[in-house]
Amino acid sequence: MRDCTKFYIDGQWVDPVEANTVEVENPATEETIGHISFGTKADVDKAVVAARRAFETFSQTSKEERLTLLRAIQAEIENRKEDLALAVSDEMGAPMSLANGPHVGLLAGHCQKAIEVLEAFDFERQDGPTLHVWEPIGVVGMITPWNWPLNQIACKVFPALATGCTMVLKPSEIAPFDAYIFAEIMDAAGVPAGVFNLINGDGPGVGEAISGHPDIDMVSFTGSTRAGIAIAQNAAPTVKRVAQELGGKSPNIVLDDSVFTQSVMKGTTAMMGNSGQTCTAPSRMLVPHARMEEAKAAAKEAAEGVIPGDPKGNATIGPVVSKAQWDKIQGLIEKGIEEGATLVAGGPGKPDGLETGHYVKPTVFADVDNDMTIAREEIFGPVLCILGYDDYDDAIRIANDTPYGLASAITGEDIELARGLAKRIRAGRVAINGGYDLNAAFGGYKQSGNGREWGEWGFHDFLEVKAVMGHG
């Protein structure tokens, strides 16, 4: 049983101002596995005072000092990677192979990338008589989700540290234990008091206090579009910078070629990873109308090869994160059937033999119209929608017919064709044949957010630009 009821404020583990202990559930067993405290505005105020005080000195540190700090954090991550993986698996149901692999791997990868970027980053540039200086924005409030918890912490904390900012982090109350370990890593690495602060809690109790706080200069949020709108509205009166990575309904255009079957199978398997709880998941697969039956057969085979089950066993996917999430997914599966989509694999209810735990059948719908609810709303579960297109112009029209624009994919043999189509998709990312890069800008168009994370792109949101005229 994990006891994570203290907060990390000003370099110390402290009790909350008001005691409010909350249970944390393992979604695979539905058992309580630990406790955290829910904070209040008073706790946020304490953390912001510490972060504001620390900013006065940390903002003036040299690049070399911050590189030394990041390398110390990197070493501590290596020391705690097994603890981190177990926490992620326990709190959100990720199979251990996924927790040990991508979940912890992304944390370590973003730390290494921040080191590499900082080594080469130039914070000053002389432009004729004017010196342009990039300076840290100040105190940053960070609100992170439960689906890729370590990744999202890394995307915010490391570039903020590298640029000289201080911060207050509120991780998801559903998956909080990995963040607690991360705070222990920061402490062990010698992060100066007040530079990094951790407060657990929910949106109304802590999130709103962070987003509206007059002494917080920026809010960096990852989560749903609905919550992002509320955060932006709450932040508006203090005119702070708001960077957001929000929802997605990403298209995957499968080209009409000789590797069509393999492309469909790969796209189906990719959709099911992390139990479908990925904002960039290729949830709308676009295939030629003439090859819809082939797509159904290939997707069914791939989906049936995805095995849900015990995260500590050999399962391909674990449960979804909570009963509330399970209920939402079930409602959308029922809606897909009601609206006339063809159920190819999976469907309502739990997989056979998995009555305990929030497990969802790997589900595929075909003959989906882009006006259907399951094609419009982010399901955030292992549910794939297959839509037909007439030609590539039609595929682009369907791909862009969404309020979202976070990510997209193009899969097939003709790379030149894929490159041309990529230019026409309105999304922050296009992955051709599964392309992946930790240097690639991460962020969305339209209702998928604003700002960019990852690599050098992740530094810029945490910086202000000062022009010193008459300097040259």
Side-chain angles (χ1 to χ4, degrees):
M1 188 71 64
R2 298 175 187 262
D3 180 9
C4 299
T5 52
K6 292 182 181 293
F7 301 148
Y8 187 74
I9 298 176
D10 205 14
Q12 301 290 327
W13 289 102
V14 300
D15 292 323
V17 172
E18 299 176 14
N20 184 10
T21 303
V22 178
E23 295 179 348
V24 178
E25 180 195 68
N26 181 325
T29 65
E30 301 183 48
E31 296 175 347
T32 298
I33 53 171
H35 299 85
I36 60 170
S37 296
F38 270 19
T40 63
K41 182 180 181 299
D43 297 296
V44 174
D45 287 342
K46 286 176 60 178
V48 173
V49 167
R52 176 62 59 193
R53 183 172 58 248
F55 181 72
E56 296 302 316
T57 52
F58 191 68
S59 63
Q60 302 305 308
T61 55
S62 67
K63 178 194 293 191
E64 289 69 28
E65 289 174 299
R66 298 196 297 277
L67 280 168
T68 298
L69 185 58
L70 284 167
R71 292 184 182 114
I73 294 168
Q74 186 177 46
E76 292 299 329
I77 290 171
E78 181 65 22
N79 291 339
R80 299 296 301 274
K81 61 183 181 180
E82 293 181 3
D83 296 335
L84 289 163
L86 183 59
V88 169
S89 182
D90 285 346
E91 67 194 1
M92 63 157 295
M96 285 303 297
S97 58
L98 184 67
N100 278 310
H103 277 282
V104 175
L106 282 166
L107 177 69
H110 285 303
C111 188
Q112 174 62 29
K113 192 56 60 179
I115 290 169
E116 293 172 5
V117 171
L118 182 56
E119 287 173 335
F121 201 88
D122 191 351
F123 288 89
E124 296 185 358
R125 188 179 74 204
Q126 190 75 41
D127 294 316
T130 300
L131 177 71
H132 284 106
V133 183
W134 281 262
E135 298 181 342
I137 193 168
V139 177
V140 183
M142 302 174 174
I143 303 172
T144 57
W146 47 260
N147 62 319
W148 286 94
L150 290 170
N151 174 70
Q152 292 303 332
I153 289 170
C155 287
K156 302 179 191 312
V157 170
F158 296 145
L161 276 176
T163 54
C165 296
T166 60
M167 64 214 73
V168 178
L169 169 67
K170 187 202 90 66
S172 169
E173 67 275 22
I174 298 173
F177 297 140
D178 66 279
Y180 207 85
I181 296 170
F182 182 80
E184 293 175 343
I185 287 170
M186 299 289 273
D187 186 70
V191 175
V195 170
F196 172 85
N197 303 274
L198 170 75
I199 300 175
N200 281 312
D202 60 4
V206 175
E208 288 183 13
I210 287 175
S211 59
H213 204 290
D215 287 328
I216 286 180
D217 302 289
M218 172 184 170
V219 175
S220 181
F221 170 73
T222 299
S224 70
T225 297
R226 175 195 55 77
I229 291 169
I231 284 169
Q233 291 172 334
N234 199 38
T238 52
V239 199
K240 57 171 56 69
R241 184 177 297 173
V242 179
Q244 299 183 318
E245 189 263 287
L246 307 175
K249 195 68 181 176
S250 301
N252 174 15
I253 300 175
V254 179
L255 303 184
D256 187 1
D257 58 26
S258 64
V259 296
F260 178 81
T261 296
Q262 297 96 303
S263 295
V264 170
M265 294 186 74
K266 288 178 182 177
T268 304
T269 302
M271 178 61 230
M272 304 303 168
N274 206 42
S275 299
Q277 300 170 126
T278 301
C279 51
T280 58
S283 55
R284 288 186 300 146
M285 180 181 288
L286 279 56
V287 304
H289 279 298
R291 304 189 73 169
M292 181 62 76
E293 294 307 312
E294 292 176 63
K296 290 178 185 177
K300 177 179 174 64
E301 181 180 347
E304 290 176 349
V306 176
I307 309 302
D310 181 3
K312 304 303 190 294
N314 297 317
T316 309
I317 61 172
V320 295
V321 77
S322 67
K323 178 63 161 56
Q325 190 68 16
W326 189 90
D327 287 341
K328 175 193 172 187
I329 295 165
Q330 295 302 308
L332 286 165
I333 290 173
E334 295 282 5
K335 192 71 172 177
I337 295 170
E338 176 188 321
E339 292 186 349
T342 301
L343 183 63
V344 173
K350 294 184 178 181
D352 291 342
L354 293 172
E355 288 75 20
T356 299
H358 309 308
Y359 293 96
V360 176
K361 297 175 185 176
T363 297
V364 176
F365 284 105
D367 303 311
V368 176
D369 186 279
N370 206 44
D371 291 330
M372 290 180 179
T373 303
I374 56 173
R376 307 303 296 179
E377 294 189 14
E378 186 176 36
I379 299 173
F380 229 59
V383 182
L384 173 67
C385 300
I386 305 179
L387 300 85
Y389 64 80
D390 296 327
D391 54 27
Y392 292 128
D393 288 338
D394 190 39
I396 292 296
R397 179 191 64 79
I398 296 169
N400 290 336
D401 180 17
T402 172
Y404 299 110
L406 183 60
S408 59
I410 302 170
T411 314
E413 290 178 303
D414 191 334
I415 300 301
E416 286 303 313
L417 172 60
R419 289 170 178 163
L421 294 174
K423 293 179 180 179
R424 300 171 62 189
I425 294 177
R426 298 283 296 167
R429 279 191 162 192
V430 185
I432 297 175
N433 291 328
Y436 192 79
D437 181 7
L438 283 177
N439 278 313
F442 185 82
Y445 288 22
K446 300 186 281 187
Q447 291 187 27
S448 287
N450 51 63
R452 292 296 182 268
E453 296 179 326
W454 295 39
E456 182 179 348
W457 302 94
F459 278 42
H460 294 289
D461 274 347
F462 297 98
L463 294 168
E464 294 278 25
V465 181
K466 176 186 288 180
V468 184
M469 297 171 288
H471 183 278

